[in-house]
Amino acid sequence: MADLGYAALVIALAAAAFATVAPLVGLRWRLPALIDSGRSALWAAASLVSVAGLSLLYLLATRDFKTQYVYQYTSSDMSMLYTLAAFWAGNAGSLLFWAWTLGLCAVVMLIQNRNKNQALMPYVTAIVAVTMGFFVGMMVFVSNPFDQMVFPQAEGEGLNPLLENMGMFLHPPPQLLGYMAFTIPFAFAVAALATGRLGDEWIQSIRRWTIFAWLTLGVGILAGAQWAYVELGWGGYMGWDPVENAALMPWLVGTAFLHSIMVQRRRGMLKVWNMMLIIFTFNLSILGTLLTRSGILSSVHSFSQSGLGPLFVAFIAVAMTGSLALLYYRMPKLRAEHELDYWVSRESTFLVNNLVLVGIAFAVFWGTMFPIITEAVRGVKITVGPPFYNQVTGPLFLILLLVMGICPLIGWRHASKDNLVRNFLYPVAFGVAAGIILFLLGVRKPAATISFAVLAFVTAGILRDWSRAVRARRQMRAEGWLRAFLRLTGSNRPRYGGYIVHLSVVVMALGITGSMFYPLETTATLNPGETVSIGRYVLKFEGASEYQTQSKQVLASTLTVYTGGDYLGTVTPERYIHRNHDNPVTEVAIRSTLKEDLYVIYGGKNPDGTATFKFKVNPMVMWIWIGWGVMLLGSAVAFWPEMKRWTA
Amino acid sequence: MVWLALLLALGTVLAIAYPLVRPRLRAAGPAPDPEASELAAAKESTYAAIKELEFDYRAGSLSQEDYRDLESRYKRKAAALLQVEDARHSEADRRAQIEAEIRRLRGVPAQPPKQRQAAPPATGRFCTQCGSPSDPTDRFCANCGHPLSKAGSKA
């Protein structure tokens, strides 16, 4: 089976190479048959990569330890689900996962466009094929998932215990898929540049692809945050780790792109900017795959290192120079149809939103690359930590939130004075009132109070715009409130899906602000029976125990939790020492409520019978995960195909 | 296993080669016209923009003056796109006529030229508020902004 998988990869590489060259040659020599043949070759490459993917799944499922990859990442005591999830635990498997998901995206794209975009498709096929060929080539020549063991073993090494968590299913697959899905919008952008067909056509073809890529990447990032929160035991959800940053950068620039294409569709502006954004989004995605898999930067994700780096850098260099050169060549054709008429207009809020998003992405890029840069310049790796990121990006995120609230309240082109007064009065009043009330209630850190006030303003703005639209619709066609609301939302899904996503951002920002500004933390060494208090909680250490399971030794502790004399329940933070891995793993105990999370980390038992604990109270963290759900809902609304009727 | 791999290779070669050797059946229909799809895309965005403008205006985030101005710009754009489309159609009709003529001269039985559906004649519609004439597709009076009922406020 391993041989079959490898053979499929080799043939897929040949097919992808053909699919890259054939459409371009077919265009040049006017041979439509060759273009069709290139398309079939891309189909073939996608199918062959699927054969390779299924082969690896089969090898994992049958626990074929003769295959090196299976040996390295699984063992017989692992449950079947995690054994299969080892598919994306290492380098070679991740490469295969990328190639496979890109193949699936390619197939969907080919089916969607079998009778559409005939002029663009040859280029789109070639770009997707060359990207796929790159990943397949890496497997064929550098990091083969089907390599066989020189000395076959009877038992595998097993998965890194940190990876044995539900997060393994929720975090890597969408994130890796998100990176790949940005290839399709990029391919269309390059095709638009190459053909000079720079109108609305390519933008319409990729709108939903962009939402899809943005959503999957976003879901992956948040799942990673949640996983880090429950598993890594540092008490936070975002450590500004290089690999987290690697995903954040294309996501931020992709967010900017998603917004600025609206300006292009409505007003014919920002065409060059949009091209830049999608070119950078794609290249940052590839950089993301590089950072995830190369081990260039040390990270919580450095599960393995490899020599893939230089090849990735070469690919990015070629993709970047090629697409930017093409953009430069087409510059004269990308002139804006309209100028920015007035500074106070919806266009300019989009512009600010874009600049801020790109600014944040740049700050993150700078911080992430800083160790590499300092090493190159001064020979010392200097790493920048979370304080840098929080200080630089915090205010920018706040501006972003503010703009998010302002945008729907301003009309396109020009906002008149009465329009401004009329639209802003209530939301601003609501925001200010919220700020004052919170201040009176004791929320007195300036940044936190401002942040909460801005969030109140944004919410009021969105709800006001929405309710006025519902009212307008009711006036136009005598409908009930609920019916008008649903019909309205259905009639412009991209817009109202976007509003739901904005609300989800508000909900997440609530959680982030609360947990950033008002966390409590204490460390205690306790004898059994002793208590410690943190915030409104009193915890009593009941005792510790130790036991063995098949794969690990478990050090468990039990604490009872009280608040104001009332018994709330028990928590059992644990530590695992795995048979195959040296580092102990903390199993954090978390008691979540909407108000706050009680977070207990067990440090272990001391020789004198005491036990060490770290206690944290993280306010409002639950809201981040609720926001995540709302974001999924909003994106689904925006993603849902629009009906082809304009009579709504 | 070797046989399976060979089979995969063979299947791939066949799949890639098939489009090269199959007879090109272009008679099944005219090749989709790339210009037409670009026009359609531009039309769609323009219509969507008009629709959203109307909504922004109704919801109060656009002043009446700006709404008028922007709407007339987009309508002009839509009209221009429709004109281009018409010009392309009549160009296509002319070509079809020439083709038919050539066939006639060569003695091939003539095919009836493709007839395009003529647009229904505009119904005389007038605004109930100010009485100025309006287009059958208009939803608001271009003169005074009064909403026009669907059935048509025929005079």
Side-chain angles (χ1 to χ4, degrees), chain A residues 1 18 32 36-37 40 197 200-201 204 266 338 346 411 413-414 419 468-469 476 488 491-492 495 644, chain B residues 1 15-16 19 22 24 34 37-38 41 44-45 51-52 54-56 58-61 66 69 73-74:
Chain A
M1 199 42 104
F18 184 82
D36 287 353
S37 170
S40 300
R197 306 169 66 82
D200 290 329
E201 198 184 9
Q204 270 173 29
R266 290 287 172 269
H338 301 279
R346 191 174 287 175
R413 183 167 169 252
H414 176 216
N419 162 286
R468 284 213 313 203
M476 273 161 87
L488 171 77
S491 73
N492 194 346
R495 176 171 184 162
K644 290 273 174 206
Chain B
M1 218 41 103
I16 294 175
R22 91 181 139 189
R24 311 255 332 141
S37 64
E38 191 158 282
E44 199 171 304
S45 313
K51 185 178 150 195
E52 197 165 293
E54 183 193 322
F55 227 98
D56 277 347
R58 290 240 139 212
S61 46
D66 275 345
D69 179 53
R73 283 199 208 182
Y74 282 118

Side-chain angles (χ1 to χ4, degrees), chain A residues 39-265:
Chain A
R39 197 180 295 211
S40 300
L42 185 56
W43 261 100
S47 316
L48 287 161
V49 171
S50 303
V51 171
L54 292 172
S55 305
L56 184 58
L57 279 180
Y58 175 84
L59 293 171
L60 288 165
T62 54
R63 303 176 202 271
D64 180 282
F65 297 124
K66 291 194 295 298
T67 304
Q68 197 177 357
Y69 190 79
V70 179
Y71 164 78
Q72 277 176 337
Y73 295 104
T74 67
S75 57
S76 351
D77 58 356
M78 280 164 59
S79 72
M80 183 50 76
L81 270 180
Y82 285 112
T83 307
L84 294 178
F87 194 106
W88 50 80
N91 269 328
S94 300
L95 289 173
L96 184 51
F97 187 85
W98 276 319
W100 195 3
T101 46
L102 182 58
L104 295 179
C105 289
V107 165
V108 173
M109 184 272 295
L110 286 174
I111 294 175
Q112 279 177 339
N113 289 286
R114 56 188 186 284
N115 295 319
K116 274 194 335 199
N117 293 322
Q118 297 300 312
L120 300 176
M121 281 314 282
Y123 291 100
V124 174
T125 309
I127 297 288
V128 174
V130 75
T131 311
M132 206 161 131
F134 169 71
F135 282 98
V136 176
M138 298 273 254
M139 284 183 278
V140 170
F141 297 115
V142 188
S143 186
N144 174 12
F146 299 106
D147 265 343
Q148 295 294 295
M149 298 283 289
V150 182
F151 303 107
Q153 306 282 322
E155 179 56 89
E157 287 182 347
L159 198 63
N160 184 323
L162 280 176
L163 300 181
E164 288 192 46
N165 180 286
M166 268 322 280
M168 188 65 179
F169 299 97
L170 297 175
H171 169 51
Q175 187 153 333
L176 302 184
L177 171 61
Y179 282 138
M180 285 300 104
F182 272 122
T183 309
I184 307 284
F186 172 73
F188 271 92
V190 172
L193 283 173
T195 53
R197 306 169 66 82
L198 298 155
D200 290 329
E201 198 184 9
W202 77 274
I203 296 246
Q204 270 173 29
S205 305
I206 55 142
R207 188 186 72 86
R208 292 177 60 227
W209 274 107
T210 313
I211 296 179
F212 174 71
W214 177 87
L215 173 66
T216 45
L217 194 56
V219 165
I221 292 171
L222 281 163
Q226 209 263 345
W227 189 3
Y229 185 68
V230 300
E231 188 74 21
L232 291 181
W234 83 66
Y237 37 80
M238 178 82 195
W240 300 101
D241 174 272
V243 173
E244 290 172 340
N245 294 349
L248 200 59
M249 289 184 280
W251 188 79
L252 288 167
V253 182
T255 311
F257 178 70
L258 208 51
H259 285 92
S260 68
I261 54 176
M262 284 184 238
V263 181
Q264 177 167 349
R265 282 192 71 185

Side-chain angles (χ1 to χ4, degrees), chain A residues 6-7 70 92 107 160 163 165 206 316 318 325 327 374 389 408 417 446 551 618:
Chain A
Y6 187 68
V70 179
V107 165
N160 184 323
L163 300 181
N165 180 286
I206 55 142
I316 293 173
V318 172
L327 177 61
T374 53
Y389 293 104
K417 211 166 176 187
S551 63
N618 297 319

Side-chain angles (χ1 to χ4, degrees), chain B residues 46-125:
Chain B
T46 313
Y47 289 166
I50 294 176
K51 185 178 150 195
E52 197 165 293
L53 270 183
E54 183 193 322
F55 227 98
D56 277 347
Y57 170 57
R58 290 240 139 212
S61 46
L62 205 61
S63 70
Q64 195 181 36
E65 178 202 342
D66 275 345
Y67 169 62
R68 285 279 162 66
D69 179 53
L70 286 173
E71 198 205 20
S72 69
R73 283 199 208 182
Y74 282 118
K75 283 203 167 158
R76 274 202 300 279
K77 188 174 170 193
L81 289 169
L82 287 174
Q83 266 171 10
V84 173
E85 204 171 48
D86 277 352
R88 286 168 43 78
H89 279 308
S90 53
E91 169 76 19
D93 283 352
R94 232 186 351 265
R95 281 209 190 138
Q97 274 174 5
I98 294 169
E99 293 283 324
E101 187 71 8
I102 292 170
R103 271 198 295 272
R104 196 182 60 79
L105 288 173
R106 284 181 180 163
V108 183
Q111 284 178 351
K114 262 186 278 170
Q115 278 289 322
R116 262 193 337 111
Q117 283 252 307
T123 48
R125 243 176 123 204

